[in-house]
Amino acid sequence: MICVALPGLAISTDQGQLTGHGLEGYYRAGRRILSRCQVRVAGREPLAVQARMTSADRARFVGTLRVAPHGGPDPDIVVERTRSADGTELIMLHSAAVRPLRLPVEVALGTDLADLGAIASGTAGPELAATVHDSGLRWSCAAGASSVTADPPPADAIASAGLLRWDFEVPPGGTVRVELRVRLDGAGPVRAVGLAVTSPLATAQATGDDPRIRALLATSVADLQALLVRDPAHPADTHLAAGAPWRCGLAPADALAAARMTLPLGTRLAAGTLRTLARTQVTAPGPRCGMIPGPRRDAGAHLPPGCTGTEATLLFPVLLAEARRWGLSDHETEELLPAAERCLTWLRTTVGERPYLSDPQPGGPVRCETQAHAHRAALLGADLLDACGRPGGDRLREWAWKLRATFRRDFWIDDPGGGRPAAARTPDGRPLPHLCATAVHLLDTGLLGGGAHAPGLLDRVQTEQLARLLGSPVMDSGWGLRGLGAKEAGYNPFGHRSGAVRVHETAIAVAGLAAAGHEKEGAALLRGVLTAAEAFGHRLPEMYAGEQRGDGTAPLPHPAACRPAATAAAAGVLLLTTLVGVRPDAPAGTVTLRPLGGAPLGEICVTGLRVVGAPFSVRVSRLGLAVVEEAAEGLQLGV
């Protein structure tokens, strides 16, 4: 159970006690500032009876005790603990005894002040010695220091044992409370960006015939708010951390992808993300000039690691172009346009006279999804350049046209089943025939004017075949889309690039299938993810096992998945906005509605979206008819 309000984290098991084992503890900026917090009442630990997340940043644990002699089997003390990512823990003891009780309470505390990487690799050191400090305890080492203070102050603090003690007199039906505050020396209180009134994300809500949509959108928005991070050097700019607990920093490709999926919640996050990454862009002359740097990422058993910097560089102009369609101001667009132009120049320079973009450069394989990203960047980038009166659009369109012609020939593998797109072509030109979820990016062509999507790399017949493949049991696990087909060599249901369900790719598939008119397959994937989300308490993890769904089964968690994760939480927004099909064109003052056909979840109403910076609400009936219920003044409904 992970409470998140970055830069604060609190990681617990469902037993409530922090024992110091595994990842348990309070964290600040990746350092464990408290690893052990064990409560004993009258010398015994409470029996855990319930644990649940009450919000993205808070968990509640309830335990019971029997302390009165000859009281029968019923507990007479309820211990309630509320743990928050900001470093506070409220311990409440409620008495149901018929006579006054004297309750000795002790809290055992400890920490190693280890960083998360050392804990994950099993190299964290032993607990540090404590000293009595103020109304609590303090620990220090060369890396820093942390302390715990208590209110009310303890009657006794024993540094050698790491103990705080109280003796409470509790009247019949009475309640006592202890509040602990965990702090990293030199750091102020956690002020989560997403909890401030200046949060860049609108708090949209969904209602309808299927109650799961309300919980999924609410949890997704809350998780996104919890993962927001402010650029320390430019406090007005925010972006999303990749996920907790493993990736609490900036991952450029993930941050851009998540900001793009959350455009229905406003353009401020997109603008902050773009400005933050523009400051990292390589501007020095050379082959990397114009790139957004990013680390390598494992690509599974059949391909070498790919460069997330390539993906981020191609996503940058796409996000800017689509944010403009959702209502990003002309001033902000012009401010960010030079960085987008450098990305597009890098694309054309790197490709040169070749039809394809290899990754990593130079000499890497020609990946299917990289060509999809490059094609979309060229078309949306050309549209953006034209709209802003900049040159270069025609050259990008000409290259995209040539790419379509060669891709349909070189990347399509004919077989008795109707054919499939190749996962990649090796540097010597051999196609890799493995059926991978990365092919869904071929369906994600991007938003142009008038609510239209850009053309794709596949023709109509090839798109139909890809839709059939994605909807088949080989790819659709019943919980979402497998990363690698179940019949492919190297398939592993837990393989994070070779079989596990990645929520981001499943959401892209649903949106792409809906846009291409293959709504049956898209609706089946959508229902599968909704069912999985319910099993995960509506907080979708980054990925989970691709085991086949069956009666009475539940999706298996992946032990290395971030939860919450920015792309998974943003995918929840994309899935529900795909249902209502909002396609804005702010420069033209129009919005087009293309709801998912057949109303697969019955009636749905989504309120609190943002189009042209104003609230936007839409209702889709059980017949699949969409009605705008709230919109900016002057916004016209497109055809």
Side-chain angles (χ1 to χ4, degrees), residues 129-473:
T131 58
V132 175
H133 173 76
D134 196 10
S135 57
L137 299 175
R138 184 175 184 270
W139 302 263
S140 62
C141 68
S146 67
S147 61
V148 173
T149 56
D151 181 24
D156 200 7
I158 307 173
S160 59
L163 278 179
L164 303 181
R165 288 178 172 170
W166 295 262
D167 282 303
F168 291 113
E169 299 291 337
V170 187
T175 296
V176 296
R177 68 189 294 280
V178 173
E179 185 176 56
L180 304 176
R181 292 186 176 273
V182 189
R183 292 288 180 264
L184 180 66
D185 278 18
V190 173
R191 293 186 176 90
V193 177
L195 301 180
V197 294
T198 56
S199 170
L201 297 172
T203 52
Q205 295 181 322
T207 56
D209 291 339
D210 192 324
R212 296 175 298 180
I213 60 176
R214 179 172 187 164
L216 176 60
L217 184 57
T219 305
S220 295
V221 172
D223 284 344
L224 290 166
Q225 303 274 26
L227 290 169
L228 284 170
V229 178
R230 202 181 298 279
D231 186 335
H234 299 83
D237 293 338
T238 55
H239 62 271
L240 288 165
W246 310 111
R247 303 168 67 207
C248 292
L250 174 62
D254 287 15
L256 288 165
R260 183 175 176 230
M261 290 189 285
T262 57
L263 282 171
L265 305 181
T267 60
R268 289 175 54 202
L269 174 62
T273 303
L274 289 167
R275 282 193 292 265
T276 299
L277 291 177
R279 291 189 283 270
T280 74
Q281 190 174 38
V282 178
T283 56
R288 288 171 51 82
C289 182
M291 280 198 78
I292 307 293
R296 297 289 177 97
R297 177 169 61 200
D298 180 68
H302 303 294
L303 285 166
C307 178
T308 61
T310 301
E311 183 179 342
T313 306
L314 298 173
L315 263 172
F316 190 102
V318 168
L319 177 57
L320 180 58
E322 291 189 319
R324 178 176 168 270
R325 295 290 174 193
W326 280 91
L328 187 69
S329 70
D330 290 342
H331 170 73
E332 289 180 297
T333 302
E334 288 287 343
E335 175 194 5
L336 290 160
L337 189 59
E341 286 183 293
R342 287 191 288 271
C343 291
L344 296 170
T345 299
W346 171 85
L347 169 61
R348 288 298 299 124
T349 302
T350 304
V351 170
E353 299 303 316
R354 298 185 302 276
Y356 300 123
L357 177 66
S358 61
D359 179 50
Q361 303 88 25
V366 178
R367 302 173 196 264
C368 171
E369 69 272 21
T370 302
Q371 311 322 304
H373 295 324
H375 183 257
R376 181 183 59 208
L379 292 181
L380 271 65
D383 186 63
L384 178 66
L385 294 176
D386 289 353
C388 296
R390 301 293 182 96
D394 289 342
R395 191 177 176 210
L396 286 166
R397 288 191 190 89
E398 181 184 358
W399 176 77
W401 183 86
K402 291 179 181 178
L403 175 61
R404 282 198 296 277
T406 56
F407 186 92
R408 292 172 183 179
R409 180 191 68 232
D410 294 347
F411 266 80
W412 192 259
I413 300 173
D414 291 315
D415 60 33
R420 63 175 63 187
R425 292 177 67 86
T426 61
D428 61 3
R430 290 181 297 106
L432 294 179
H434 310 291
L435 183 59
C436 302
T438 50
V440 303
H441 295 286
L442 295 170
L443 301 171
D444 178 19
T445 59
L447 187 63
L448 292 175
H453 281 269
L457 282 174
L458 300 180
D459 62 27
R460 182 181 60 83
V461 174
Q462 291 170 336
T463 301
E464 288 177 357
Q465 173 63 6
L466 178 58
R468 282 194 289 270
L469 292 172
L470 296 178
S472 71

Side-chain angles (χ1 to χ4, degrees), residues 17-18 36-46 65 67 77 79 81 91 93 103-109 161-166 168:
Q17 301 276 40
L18 295 180
R36 192 162 52 87
C37 182
Q38 296 168 290
V39 175
R40 289 187 287 269
V41 180
R44 300 201 307 277
E45 293 194 6
L65 281 165
V67 297
I77 295 292
V79 181
R81 301 170 70 173
I91 304 168
L93 282 72
L103 290 181
V105 175
E106 62 181 27
V107 179
L109 304 167
L163 278 179
L164 303 181
R165 288 178 172 170
W166 295 262
F168 291 113

